[in-house]
């Protein structure tokens, strides 16, 4: 082998001179860059890297009575150097500008935003009534208060506030109601004049009449059928009306209550207006009713 090497050296073989030329170039570059070998920063960066041995990842066996502190994920993220910072430091060390032994600055953990609690969602059944429920007027509240104060027996008695009372009912039917259905609603309403009676058989309604809307003023608001019911006392009116003024079935007319249940599917809206006739007007009405044909009523 010694003889062969000498021959190759004597001939000036390029292959024999290549290793020495490469080594010379590397050493020259290191001297020109400041005399620091290139391999040193790499070795130093590797020495500064955190240990990742198997012992660091080994599970901790709990010991009875001894609490083991566990680092939160945010704390671990704050203490560990960022990969980008490590790479930048190593690159700067290789160029000779910054030492690779300097650790990267810690990255602060960002606070996790906590959303504010939203409004409470109501649960359970919906309340009865709603915006569509009509608000009671002053007179309606007064009548119901009166019924509660004196009791339903006296409130619905035939002699409670005697005198003529007009009970006006206007009905607005569904647009899809048929002529037969409308005629049946009117027929059953008019029949109340005979079937509305007290437990002793006494008739509740003194008089009843009906008619179809025929005004041309344009203020009928869609009401197409009107009824005028007359009572001899407020007590009879109260007994006839029943719900919602009188809720006890022992003190309201069952026939009228049955009619309301039948007619409700065919009616969009109902308007009710009651008023009491003055005493002298009631007397004149009774006197005109008993006058024979051909007789004229006295003036004044």
């Amino acid at each position: 082998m010694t003889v062969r090497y000498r021959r190759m050296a004597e001939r000036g073989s390029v292959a024999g001179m290549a290793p020495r030329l490469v080594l010379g170039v590397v050493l020259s570059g290191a001297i020109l860059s400041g005399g620091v070998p290139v391999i040193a920063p790499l070795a130093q960066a590797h020495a500064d890297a955190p240990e990742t041995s198997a012992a660091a990842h080994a599970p901790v066996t709990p010991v009875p009575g001894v609490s083991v502190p566990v680092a939160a994920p945010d704390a671990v993220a704050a203490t560990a150097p960022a990969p980008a910072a490590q790479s930048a430091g190593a690159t700067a060390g290789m160029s000779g500008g910054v030492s690779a032994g300097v650790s990267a600055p810690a990255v602060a953990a960002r606070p996790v935003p906590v959303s504010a609690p939203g409004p409470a969602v109501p649960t359970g059944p919906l309340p009865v009534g709603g915006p569509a429920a009509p608000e009671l007027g002053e007179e309606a509240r007064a009548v119901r208060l009166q019924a509660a104060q004196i009791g339903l027996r006296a409130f619905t008695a035939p002699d409670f506030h005697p005198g003529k009372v007009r009970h006006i009912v206007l009905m607005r039917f569904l647009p899809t109601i048929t002529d037969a259905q409308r005629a049946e609603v009117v027929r059953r309403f008019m029949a109340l004049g005979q079937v509305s009676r007290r437990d002793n058989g006494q008739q509740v309604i003194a008089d009843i009449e009906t008619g179809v809307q025929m005004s041309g003023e344009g203020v009928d608001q869609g009401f197409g059928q009107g009824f005028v019911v007359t009572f001899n006392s407020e007590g009879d009116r109260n007994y006839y009306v029943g719900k919602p003024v009188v809720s006890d079935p022992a003190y309201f007319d069952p026939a009228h209550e049955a009619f309301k249940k039948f007619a409700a599917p065919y009616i969009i809206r109902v308007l009710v207006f009651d008023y009491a006739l003055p005493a002298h007007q009631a007397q004149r009405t009774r006197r005109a009713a008993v006058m024979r044909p051909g007789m004229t009523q006295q003036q004044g």
Side-chain angles (χ1 to χ4, degrees):
M1 294 179 62
T2 303
V3 176
R4 186 177 180 181
Y5 179 77
R6 289 178 178 176
R7 290 179 180 178
M8 293 177 62
E10 292 174 355
R11 294 176 181 176
S13 175
V14 178
M17 298 177 62
R20 287 179 288 178
L21 292 175
V22 172
L23 180 59
V25 171
V26 172
L27 293 177
S28 300
I31 294 173
L32 293 176
S33 62
V36 181
V38 180
I39 301 175
L42 298 177
Q44 184 66 26
H46 180 71
D48 294 338
E51 295 182 358
T52 56
S53 60
H57 299 283
V60 180
T61 304
V63 180
V66 179
S67 60
V68 180
V70 179
D74 293 343
V76 175
T79 57
Q86 288 181 350
S87 178
T91 304
M94 292 178 65
S95 62
V98 181
S99 174
V102 180
S103 59
V107 179
R110 295 182 179 179
V112 180
V114 180
S115 59
V121 179
T123 58
L126 295 176
V128 179
E135 184 179 357
L136 292 179
E138 181 180 355
E139 188 62 30
R141 290 194 298 268
V143 171
R144 299 188 187 193
L145 179 61
Q146 187 181 44
Q149 289 176 345
I150 68 176
L152 296 181
R153 181 183 296 275
F155 184 72
T156 59
D159 57 350
F160 178 70
H161 291 180
K164 294 295 182 180
V165 177
R166 297 279 196 255
H167 178 74
I168 302 175
V169 180
L170 302 180
M171 293 184 181
R172 181 178 178 181
F173 296 104
L174 285 172
T176 56
I177 192 173
T178 64
D179 293 341
Q181 292 169 340
R182 177 169 178 163
E184 182 63 17
V185 171
V186 174
R187 186 193 69 80
R188 293 198 182 200
F189 196 111
M190 296 299 293
L192 293 175
Q194 299 297 326
V195 299
S196 293
R197 297 180 180 273
R198 296 182 179 270
D199 295 338
N200 58 2
Q202 182 180 356
Q203 194 169 342
V204 178
I205 297 176
D207 188 34
I208 185 172
E209 59 182 302
T210 186
V212 178
Q213 200 288 124
M214 57 173 294
S215 173
E217 298 180 57
V219 293
D220 54 273
Q221 300 184 15
F223 293 100
Q225 191 78 28
F227 300 88
V228 180
V229 186
T230 303
F231 301 97
N232 289 325
S233 67
E234 290 186 26
D236 285 343
R237 188 275 313 268
N238 298 337
Y239 180 82
Y240 165 84
V241 170
K243 296 179 180 179
V245 181
V246 180
S247 58
D248 191 343
Y251 300 103
F252 65 71
D253 182 15
H256 184 217
E257 188 66 23
F259 168 78
K260 289 189 289 186
K261 293 181 179 179
F262 164 79
Y266 305 105
I267 299 175
I268 298 177
R269 187 181 176 189
V270 176
L271 189 149
V272 178
F273 187 93
D274 294 356
Y275 65 93
L277 296 177
H280 67 279
Q281 185 175 353
Q283 294 176 359
R284 291 181 59 181
T285 303
R286 286 196 300 269
R287 187 170 57 188
V290 298
M291 289 178 61
R292 294 191 301 270
M295 295 183 60
T296 59
Q297 185 176 355
Q298 296 180 359
Q299 299 293 329

